[in-house]
Amino acid sequence: MNLAPEGALEHVDDEAFIIVKAAPRISQTYGETVCIAAIDHSGCWVRLYPVSFRDLSDAQKFSRWDRISYRWRKPTPSADQRTESRRVDQGSIVIKGKLRERDRHAFLNRTAVTSLKKEREKGRSLAALSCEIIDFWYEQQSREEIERQQNVYETIRQQNDLFRQGNLIPREACPYIFKYRYRDDDGIHVGSCQDWETETTFLRRRGEMQDESAALDWMVGKFGVEFPRDGMLFAMGTHRYRADQWLINGVVRGNPASQMGFL
């Protein structure tokens, strides 16, 4: 288990517990894909991609804390040199069970760190960050950016014959970016939340409330006040092409009993 393959084309069988799914992104090669951050039995972080989540069978559609088995190989060095990265054989994914609720807090917190600089010095590109949340807010995306994303979606739909992904991509781009200002041992930072749940939660709440302003106020109260108050960690990951740029890949509640499932 968890032994790196000698060659880029050699596959290895492994298992891990799912922690977070980053927001869907569009690839001209793979259609709509997500990047998965997970922790294996030894407590090491792994990055699983590219996974076309909506193209998984019903029996394969995993949630946070699910234990999955899968086959993977190392990405080519030109594609990704991060040591935790695993190029997954999507057809090999099997849900094997779920981490017990009473064990989740200890399982995640044993990996928590308070300095991302030290993690980079150790050659790591994934981490669970324990930090002080200073502020949470939202920024509206520009009309040009929203239109750009929608045009990409439409382009993929028109290429349905080539990629068979036309019915899998999002119907709309999230009109807002959600951001945190936080402090760790290295200082104060600002980061955009890449979490699938954050974007999806807003879109769902907006639909339920039929009021965009009320949905945004709810997001600020939930993600900016309640979660930090009750305890939370950031699932952090570095940018593929900018090794020293850390991204907020996900928000994980510190209280297992109140964990949000995938939406």
Side-chain angles (χ1 to χ4, degrees):
M1 290 283 196
N2 201 30
L3 297 176
E6 295 296 330
L9 299 180
E10 182 181 350
H11 281 83
V12 168
D13 294 319
D14 212 339
E15 290 188 358
F17 291 95
I18 303 300
I19 303 301
V20 72
K21 296 185 295 187
R25 295 294 179 257
I26 299 300
S27 160
Q28 291 291 327
T29 302
Y30 300 105
E32 179 190 353
T33 66
V34 297
C35 180
I36 311 299
I39 299 176
D40 66 17
H41 286 287
S42 62
C44 296
W45 283 91
V46 292
R47 177 185 294 104
L48 312 179
Y49 74 94
V51 178
S52 179
F53 190 77
R54 298 191 193 184
D55 208 23
L56 294 171
S57 70
D58 289 342
Q60 292 179 304
K61 290 184 177 179
F62 47 79
S63 298
R64 179 172 287 173
W65 303 118
D66 279 345
R67 176 171 61 91
I68 68 167
S69 63
Y70 59 95
R71 302 190 70 216
W72 64 278
R73 62 178 175 84
K74 290 173 63 177
T76 60
S78 61
D80 191 346
Q81 298 186 27
R82 294 171 295 184
T83 58
E84 301 95 338
S85 295
R86 310 283 187 261
R87 193 170 187 82
V88 176
D89 173 5
Q90 180 161 308
S92 71
I93 294 174
V94 176
I95 299 175
K96 307 291 286 189
K98 203 174 194 74
L99 187 63
R100 294 180 303 182
E101 192 169 284
R102 65 176 180 266
D103 296 333
R104 296 172 187 174
H105 184 75
F107 179 78
L108 183 62
N109 277 273
R110 72 183 185 186
T111 72
V113 300
T114 56
S115 169
L116 296 176
K117 181 179 179 180
K118 290 181 179 178
E119 294 305 291
R120 283 301 303 143
E121 291 172 350
K122 297 174 183 177
R124 296 170 182 162
S125 66
L126 288 171
L129 180 66
S130 177
C131 59
E132 175 192 355
I133 305 302
I134 300 173
D135 197 10
F136 172 84
W137 72 98
Y138 55 87
E139 295 178 1
Q140 187 163 17
Q141 297 209 70
S142 68
R143 180 179 300 178
E144 291 75 17
E145 177 60 20
I146 294 173
E147 290 179 352
R148 186 195 69 79
Q149 292 184 26
Q150 291 295 157
N151 287 336
V152 171
Y153 297 162
E154 184 60 30
T155 297
I156 298 296
R157 290 189 184 96
Q158 293 173 357
Q159 295 174 340
N160 192 40
D161 291 340
L162 292 176
F163 298 108
R164 296 182 294 114
Q165 299 286 347
N167 64 331
L168 303 177
I169 65 176
R171 293 183 179 181
E172 64 174 308
C174 184
Y176 295 95
I177 300 172
F178 298 96
K179 293 188 172 183
Y180 279 99
R181 179 177 290 106
Y182 59 96
R183 180 187 286 109
D184 64 7
D185 289 351
D186 307 317
I188 296 176
H189 315 274
V190 172
S192 301
C193 189
Q194 311 285 317
D195 193 0
W196 179 328
E197 289 187 27
T198 306
E199 293 185 5
T200 306
T201 298
F202 165 71
L203 293 172
R204 189 188 70 171
R205 293 299 293 173
R206 186 184 64 177
E208 292 173 347
M209 303 175 85
Q210 294 295 301
D211 185 327
E212 184 161 286
S213 179
L216 289 168
D217 289 344
W218 183 91
M219 290 290 293
V220 171
K222 184 67 68 172
F223 284 82
V225 179
E226 180 181 327
F227 289 179
R229 180 193 66 209
D230 295 343
M232 56 177 270
L233 297 172
F234 284 148
M236 305 292 295
T238 62
H239 193 285
R240 181 183 301 186
Y241 302 113
R242 296 185 289 277
D244 292 325
Q245 180 183 351
W246 287 90
L247 306 173
I248 303 174
N249 288 338
V251 173
V252 187
R253 301 292 305 282
N255 179 4
S258 61
Q259 285 286 354
M260 296 174 62
F262 287 126
L263 305 173

